[in-house]
Amino acid sequence: MAVRFPFTQWISPRQPPEVERLLKSAATREGVLSLAGGLPGEDLFPRAALAEALEEVMREHGREALQYQWPEGYGPLREQVAAMLRDRGVEVAQDELLITSGAQQALDLLARLLLRPGDALGIESPTYVAAIEVFGLQRPRMVPLARGEDGLDLAAVRALVRGAEKSLLYLAPAGHNPSGSSLSAEACESLVELSRAHDALVIEDDAYGRIQFEAPRRPLRSYPGAEERVILVGTFSKALTPGLRVGWIVAPPAVTAQLVLLKGIADLQTNTLGQMALSSYLERHDLDAHVARCLPRYRERRDAMLQSLAEHMPAEVRWTRPTCGFSVWVTLPEALAAEALLARAIEAGVAFEPGAAFFPVETPRNYLRLSFSNQTPDRIAEAVARLGKSLRAL
Amino acid sequence: MAVRFPFTQWISPRQPPEVERLLKSAATREGVLSLAGGLPGEDLFPRAALAEALEEVMREHGREALQYQWPEGYGPLREQVAAMLRDRGVEVAQDELLITSGAQQALDLLARLLLRPGDALGIESPTYVAAIEVFGLQRPRMVPLARGEDGLDLAAVRALVRGAEKSLLYLAPAGHNPSGSSLSAEACESLVELSRAHDALVIEDDAYGRIQFEAPRRPLRSYPGAEERVILVGTFSKALTPGLRVGWIVAPPAVTAQLVLLKGIADLQTNTLGQMALSSYLERHDLDAHVARCLPRYRERRDAMLQSLAEHMPAEVRWTRPTCGFSVWVTLPEALAAEALLARAIEAGVAFEPGAAFFPVETPRNYLRLSFSNQTPDRIAEAVARLGKSLRAL
């Protein structure tokens, strides 16, 4: 008998299969400069300090580091994360904090706990691709909220929260991907006010919150009145390292209690060694100082990209000037499709992410995201020159 | 306005709140000997070898180890896991293998992909507690299949697969927890035959498959005809270390392709460093040899427990003689409740897991699980003596 598998739902790749194939082949192809992915700069990882931390943990606490642990996470690390957040204006009690396997799992747990099929989900458009995917698994009704360099469409937010008895919003107020922008303090205050007035919950994605080129930004959760309405999701992935897969959720205690149970069911716990190594690193090193060392390098890379874009892009192409994050968001003339450009660009030796996947509902084809974070300025200049050439040839 | 949280479902702790509280307090209480949890022996972790592997990875491949990676897992580790499984009779192609954040996440991904609300799920009774929980999230109709030292109720399996157009079974053929037993080759052959004849899928939990005190056991997946019907879930947690959270799924390619996408959405990937460290360890060390060193120690602990039980238990108490795994499964007289015993036992300085949570449907109160894996023989003797005293006092 032929085997049919009774899948609960059919999961499609985030990009069309052809784009997936192209990006995967580009990743291993000699001579292709990649501007794809939201990867932190590999040359900026504090490798020696993390190696020392690992060595210390294995030497002093090897048995504990290799053993099972409680689902809520390693106690000392939870305190350190809470202290880091306090420095950014977010008060966190211990029963409000859960350590997760990266911010992505944080979003997954929240989606599973808070989103039923058909529920309205307010979601920025464009936004982080894998957030669209993870919320999409719950089959909500996605309500796009236009978001760009100039801010968030607060009228759309207002219409959503007023029209629904309860609503859930997924936002990246302090560090939006892919636009590379943060919301003003006024917009943040309005969001808190709206969520309080209309019984809405906000999931705040703060993954890029510390990667700020102009001034530090406080998370939405730090605004007065946000404690009961804003659930904060954070991670070490952008500011330190993604390879250990350690992130967190800060939520009201009633929500956190359920999340801890769900986390224990989903994967028992976040890896013990990674948590203990991060804790040991944070005990001996100042993460703020590390971030302060990285920011000028990321700024340099951003500037190299902006300058190269100005040099090499045809006149009809527009792009953002990111004040935060890892990427520039590029708009092609409407008649051009980023997917078609990608095939050509990879031939010319440069890869990037087509932008359609960043849109939760309508998926325009004429956008692309160029990440500068994991390339040196001269390679960025070369990559953008190649891209310009491919574009002109199109 | 008071905040009500719109949870999609209410998640209850695996044990009643009072038992949870008792177990958690016992875990940090001075002088309490713990026989709870399925913890590998901490003294048996190859700490020096793993520390060396970590050091080597950070020195030689630090950038890669701290960076993001593909959802399917680290290539060399996937090949090593496939080779390990081949040694146990399971042929694995690369497109059939996914690395997961432990076996628990493997079960979670499979449950989410294969189980709809109301679907029939054949599940051993008793079985692994967190499997009941993770499948329970999908709200299936659980069909208990009696399982004990004397095997699995194949008549119940037959009735289930015959009565359903499609059915899903969760079984631990080679290393059942909590009974500490494995199925005979004949029973395995019958299971494969039934699954083929009636279009059933089996999720095989092989977590304890290598912890065998009598003879090695082949996974169900190794039996002829099983490739398209049996999905194997494995882990390094019991044979090597649980702290890195690395497990795997072996499934038909069509299922694995969907699982890889779901894994990418659920948490992007399993932690890079842990995967690379395990790969480096496996390159330099023989996992079989490590397991062969551990087994006599676990057998010693099991024997210490069996002997102490014979010495200290009242005549009405019965228990298994495990041929595999980490625990002995104890049956009290029906009038006695394990929860009541636990409170008393912790006072006397010994903790264990009440057995009700191991049953998927009916939850009898007179069972308990005693793990010998993470205690030395003399501590086991003392713990069981304390338990016998508490029991007589009850």
Side-chain angles (χ1 to χ4, degrees), chain A residues 48 76 83 130 132 244:
Chain A
I132 299 173
L244 305 181

mmCIF file of all heavy atoms in Angstrom, chain A residues 48 76 83 130 132 244:
data_model
loop_
_atom_site.group_PDB
_atom_site.id
_atom_site.type_symbol
_atom_site.label_atom_id
_atom_site.label_comp_id
_atom_site.label_asym_id
_atom_site.label_seq_id
_atom_site.Cartn_x
_atom_site.Cartn_y
_atom_site.Cartn_z
ATOM 1 N N ALA A 48 37.571 34.364 22.237
ATOM 2 C CA ALA A 48 38.471 33.970 23.329
ATOM 3 C C ALA A 48 37.726 34.008 24.659
ATOM 4 O O ALA A 48 37.839 33.094 25.484
ATOM 5 C CB ALA A 48 39.686 34.897 23.364
ATOM 6 N N PRO A 76 21.200 31.745 37.739
ATOM 7 C CA PRO A 76 22.087 32.915 37.646
ATOM 8 C C PRO A 76 21.940 33.657 36.314
ATOM 9 O O PRO A 76 21.953 34.889 36.282
ATOM 10 C CB PRO A 76 23.484 32.298 37.788
ATOM 11 C CG PRO A 76 23.262 31.055 38.603
ATOM 12 C CD PRO A 76 21.926 30.532 38.162
ATOM 13 N N ALA A 83 18.889 41.774 35.044
ATOM 14 C CA ALA A 83 19.701 42.968 35.330
ATOM 15 C C ALA A 83 19.988 43.749 34.045
ATOM 16 O O ALA A 83 19.930 44.986 34.027
ATOM 17 C CB ALA A 83 21.010 42.563 36.017
ATOM 18 N N ALA A 130 10.541 34.876 9.696
ATOM 19 C CA ALA A 130 10.232 33.673 10.484
ATOM 20 C C ALA A 130 9.154 33.943 11.532
ATOM 21 O O ALA A 130 8.587 33.007 12.096
ATOM 22 C CB ALA A 130 11.494 33.117 11.136
ATOM 23 N N ILE A 132 6.407 35.679 10.610
ATOM 24 C CA ILE A 132 5.232 35.400 9.764
ATOM 25 C C ILE A 132 4.994 33.893 9.726
ATOM 26 O O ILE A 132 3.864 33.419 9.840
ATOM 27 C CB ILE A 132 5.453 35.945 8.330
ATOM 28 C CG1 ILE A 132 5.647 37.463 8.366
ATOM 29 C CG2 ILE A 132 4.279 35.561 7.424
ATOM 30 C CD1 ILE A 132 6.039 38.064 7.014
ATOM 31 N N LEU A 244 24.605 29.619 20.406
ATOM 32 C CA LEU A 244 24.236 28.912 21.625
ATOM 33 C C LEU A 244 22.726 28.804 21.770
ATOM 34 O O LEU A 244 22.232 28.065 22.619
ATOM 35 C CB LEU A 244 24.845 29.610 22.856
ATOM 36 C CG LEU A 244 26.367 29.799 22.799
ATOM 37 C CD1 LEU A 244 26.874 30.465 24.076
ATOM 38 C CD2 LEU A 244 27.084 28.470 22.611
#
